[in-house]
Short mmCIF file of all heavy atoms in Angstrom, two decimals:
data_model
loop_
_atom_site.label_atom_id
_atom_site.label_comp_id
_atom_site.label_asym_id
_atom_site.label_seq_id
_atom_site.Cartn_x
_atom_site.Cartn_y
_atom_site.Cartn_z
N LYS A 1 132.59 25.62 101.09
CA LYS A 1 132.81 24.33 100.58
C LYS A 1 131.60 23.40 100.79
O LYS A 1 131.11 23.30 101.93
CB LYS A 1 134.06 23.62 101.41
CG LYS A 1 134.75 22.53 100.71
CD LYS A 1 136.02 22.23 101.50
CE LYS A 1 136.83 21.26 100.66
NZ LYS A 1 138.15 20.95 101.32
N THR A 2 131.03 23.01 99.68
CA THR A 2 129.66 22.30 99.68
C THR A 2 129.86 20.86 100.07
O THR A 2 130.97 20.34 99.97
CB THR A 2 128.99 22.41 98.43
OG1 THR A 2 129.69 21.64 97.43
CG2 THR A 2 128.93 23.92 97.96
N PHE A 3 128.79 20.21 100.48
CA PHE A 3 128.76 18.83 100.75
C PHE A 3 129.15 17.92 99.52
O PHE A 3 129.78 16.88 99.67
CB PHE A 3 127.53 18.32 101.49
CG PHE A 3 126.25 18.32 100.67
CD1 PHE A 3 126.04 17.35 99.72
CD2 PHE A 3 125.28 19.30 100.91
CE1 PHE A 3 124.88 17.40 98.99
CE2 PHE A 3 124.09 19.28 100.18
CZ PHE A 3 123.88 18.41 99.19
N SER A 4 128.79 18.48 98.33
CA SER A 4 129.27 17.74 97.12
C SER A 4 130.80 17.76 96.95
O SER A 4 131.40 16.76 96.65
CB SER A 4 128.66 18.44 95.92
OG SER A 4 127.22 18.34 95.97
N GLU A 5 131.29 18.91 97.23
CA GLU A 5 132.79 18.98 97.12
C GLU A 5 133.53 18.19 98.19
O GLU A 5 134.45 17.50 97.90
CB GLU A 5 133.27 20.51 97.26
CG GLU A 5 134.70 20.73 96.95
CD GLU A 5 135.06 22.26 97.12
OE1 GLU A 5 134.20 23.08 97.24
OE2 GLU A 5 136.21 22.47 97.06
N ILE A 6 133.01 18.13 99.34
CA ILE A 6 133.64 17.45 100.46
C ILE A 6 133.51 15.96 100.19
O ILE A 6 134.51 15.16 100.38
CB ILE A 6 132.98 17.76 101.82
CG1 ILE A 6 133.21 19.23 102.17
CG2 ILE A 6 133.54 16.77 102.96
CD1 ILE A 6 132.34 19.68 103.39
N LEU A 7 132.35 15.58 99.69
CA LEU A 7 132.03 14.18 99.39
C LEU A 7 132.98 13.68 98.24
O LEU A 7 133.50 12.57 98.21
CB LEU A 7 130.61 13.95 99.04
CG LEU A 7 130.01 12.55 99.02
CD1 LEU A 7 130.13 11.92 100.47
CD2 LEU A 7 128.62 12.52 98.59
N ASN A 8 133.22 14.61 97.29
CA ASN A 8 134.08 14.31 96.12
C ASN A 8 135.56 14.00 96.60
O ASN A 8 136.23 13.18 96.03
CB ASN A 8 134.09 15.44 95.23
CG ASN A 8 134.76 15.14 93.86
OD1 ASN A 8 134.43 14.02 93.24
ND2 ASN A 8 135.68 15.96 93.41
N GLU A 9 135.96 14.69 97.67
CA GLU A 9 137.33 14.46 98.14
C GLU A 9 137.38 13.19 99.00
O GLU A 9 138.38 12.54 98.98
CB GLU A 9 137.67 15.59 99.16
CG GLU A 9 137.85 16.93 98.44
CD GLU A 9 137.99 18.13 99.40
OE1 GLU A 9 137.95 17.93 100.60
OE2 GLU A 9 138.24 19.26 98.93
N LYS A 10 136.28 12.74 99.55
CA LYS A 10 136.27 11.48 100.33
C LYS A 10 136.07 10.23 99.38
O LYS A 10 136.60 9.16 99.79
CB LYS A 10 135.01 11.48 101.26
CG LYS A 10 135.15 12.42 102.48
CD LYS A 10 133.90 12.46 103.28
CE LYS A 10 134.17 13.17 104.65
NZ LYS A 10 134.96 12.28 105.55
N ILE A 11 135.44 10.41 98.24
CA ILE A 11 135.17 9.29 97.39
C ILE A 11 136.15 9.39 96.22
O ILE A 11 136.11 10.32 95.44
CB ILE A 11 133.73 9.29 96.84
CG1 ILE A 11 132.76 9.16 97.99
CG2 ILE A 11 133.51 8.14 95.88
CD1 ILE A 11 131.23 9.30 97.56
N THR A 12 137.03 8.34 96.08
CA THR A 12 138.06 8.37 95.08
C THR A 12 137.60 7.62 93.79
O THR A 12 138.13 7.85 92.69
CB THR A 12 139.32 7.83 95.59
OG1 THR A 12 139.10 6.41 96.04
CG2 THR A 12 139.94 8.65 96.68
N LYS A 13 136.61 6.66 94.00
CA LYS A 13 136.15 5.83 92.94
C LYS A 13 135.28 6.60 91.88
O LYS A 13 135.39 6.24 90.69
CB LYS A 13 135.44 4.66 93.46
CG LYS A 13 135.16 3.60 92.42
CD LYS A 13 134.48 2.40 93.12
CE LYS A 13 134.07 1.27 92.20
NZ LYS A 13 133.47 0.15 92.78
N TYR A 14 134.57 7.54 92.36
CA TYR A 14 133.60 8.28 91.54
C TYR A 14 133.90 9.81 91.64
O TYR A 14 134.62 10.22 92.58
CB TYR A 14 132.16 8.03 91.97
CG TYR A 14 131.83 6.55 92.08
CD1 TYR A 14 131.52 6.03 93.37
CD2 TYR A 14 131.71 5.71 90.94
CE1 TYR A 14 131.24 4.69 93.49
CE2 TYR A 14 131.37 4.43 91.07
CZ TYR A 14 131.20 3.89 92.34
OH TYR A 14 130.84 2.59 92.47
N GLU A 15 133.36 10.59 90.73
CA GLU A 15 133.43 12.07 90.81
C GLU A 15 132.00 12.55 91.04
O GLU A 15 130.99 12.18 90.50
CB GLU A 15 133.91 12.51 89.45
CG GLU A 15 134.12 14.03 89.52
CD GLU A 15 134.84 14.56 88.26
OE1 GLU A 15 134.66 13.99 87.17
OE2 GLU A 15 135.54 15.58 88.30
N VAL A 16 131.96 13.47 92.10
CA VAL A 16 130.69 14.01 92.50
C VAL A 16 130.46 15.40 91.89
O VAL A 16 131.43 16.28 91.97
CB VAL A 16 130.66 14.14 94.12
CG1 VAL A 16 129.26 14.73 94.51
CG2 VAL A 16 130.88 12.77 94.81
N LEU A 17 129.42 15.59 91.13
CA LEU A 17 129.10 16.82 90.49
C LEU A 17 127.89 17.48 91.28
O LEU A 17 127.02 16.94 91.60
CB LEU A 17 128.68 16.59 89.02
CG LEU A 17 129.76 15.84 88.19
CD1 LEU A 17 129.19 15.68 86.75
CD2 LEU A 17 131.10 16.62 88.17
N ASN A 18 128.01 18.82 91.39
CA ASN A 18 126.98 19.68 92.07
C ASN A 18 126.15 20.33 91.04
O ASN A 18 126.47 21.38 90.47
CB ASN A 18 127.66 20.61 93.04
CG ASN A 18 126.71 21.47 93.85
OD1 ASN A 18 125.44 21.40 93.57
ND2 ASN A 18 127.12 22.19 94.71
N GLY A 19 124.95 19.78 90.76
CA GLY A 19 124.01 20.37 89.80
C GLY A 19 122.94 21.24 90.51
O GLY A 19 121.91 21.51 89.90
N GLY A 20 123.10 21.61 91.75
CA GLY A 20 122.09 22.41 92.45
C GLY A 20 121.97 23.88 91.86
O GLY A 20 122.93 24.37 91.48
N ILE A 21 120.70 24.30 91.78
CA ILE A 21 120.35 25.57 91.28
C ILE A 21 119.23 26.20 92.26
O ILE A 21 118.27 25.64 92.52
CB ILE A 21 119.72 25.56 89.93
CG1 ILE A 21 120.70 24.95 88.92
CG2 ILE A 21 119.43 26.92 89.44
CD1 ILE A 21 120.17 24.81 87.50
N GLY A 22 119.69 27.37 92.77
CA GLY A 22 118.79 28.07 93.74
C GLY A 22 117.53 28.49 93.18
O GLY A 22 117.38 28.78 91.94
N ASN A 23 116.38 28.45 93.94
CA ASN A 23 115.06 28.91 93.55
C ASN A 23 114.44 28.05 92.53
O ASN A 23 113.58 28.49 91.75
CB ASN A 23 115.11 30.40 93.09
CG ASN A 23 115.63 31.32 94.05
OD1 ASN A 23 116.76 31.87 93.80
ND2 ASN A 23 115.02 31.55 95.16
N THR A 24 114.82 26.80 92.53
CA THR A 24 114.14 25.72 91.63
C THR A 24 113.49 24.74 92.52
O THR A 24 113.82 24.49 93.68
CB THR A 24 115.18 25.05 90.73
OG1 THR A 24 116.18 24.35 91.54
CG2 THR A 24 115.84 25.94 89.91
N ASN A 25 112.46 24.11 91.91
CA ASN A 25 111.85 23.02 92.64
C ASN A 25 112.21 21.65 91.97
O ASN A 25 112.95 21.59 91.01
CB ASN A 25 110.26 23.20 92.65
CG ASN A 25 109.63 23.20 91.22
OD1 ASN A 25 110.18 22.68 90.31
ND2 ASN A 25 108.43 23.79 91.03
N THR A 26 111.66 20.59 92.51
CA THR A 26 112.15 19.22 92.08
C THR A 26 111.71 19.03 90.61
O THR A 26 112.45 18.41 89.86
CB THR A 26 111.51 18.16 93.03
OG1 THR A 26 111.99 18.28 94.28
CG2 THR A 26 111.71 16.82 92.52
N LYS A 27 110.54 19.45 90.28
CA LYS A 27 110.07 19.27 88.78
C LYS A 27 111.16 19.98 87.87
O LYS A 27 111.52 19.40 86.81
CB LYS A 27 108.77 19.95 88.62
CG LYS A 27 107.59 19.17 89.25
CD LYS A 27 106.26 20.02 89.22
CE LYS A 27 105.93 20.51 87.83
NZ LYS A 27 104.80 21.35 87.78
#
């Protein structure tokens, strides 16, 4: 269970999406 998913359960006003991709950099 990721922090995005947990945060999504805590915040009812917005929906939290997890766009993380392994082995990528910020650029």
Side-chain angles (χ1 to χ4, degrees):
K1 203 168 189 178
T2 69
F3 64 77
S4 296
E5 186 179 352
I6 298 168
L7 198 60
N8 191 49
E9 294 172 355
K10 287 175 168 289
I11 300 174
T12 57
K13 188 175 180 181
Y14 310 109
E15 186 173 26
V16 182
L17 303 179
N18 183 353
I21 301 178
N23 304 110
T24 59
N25 61 24
T26 296
K27 289 170 53 184

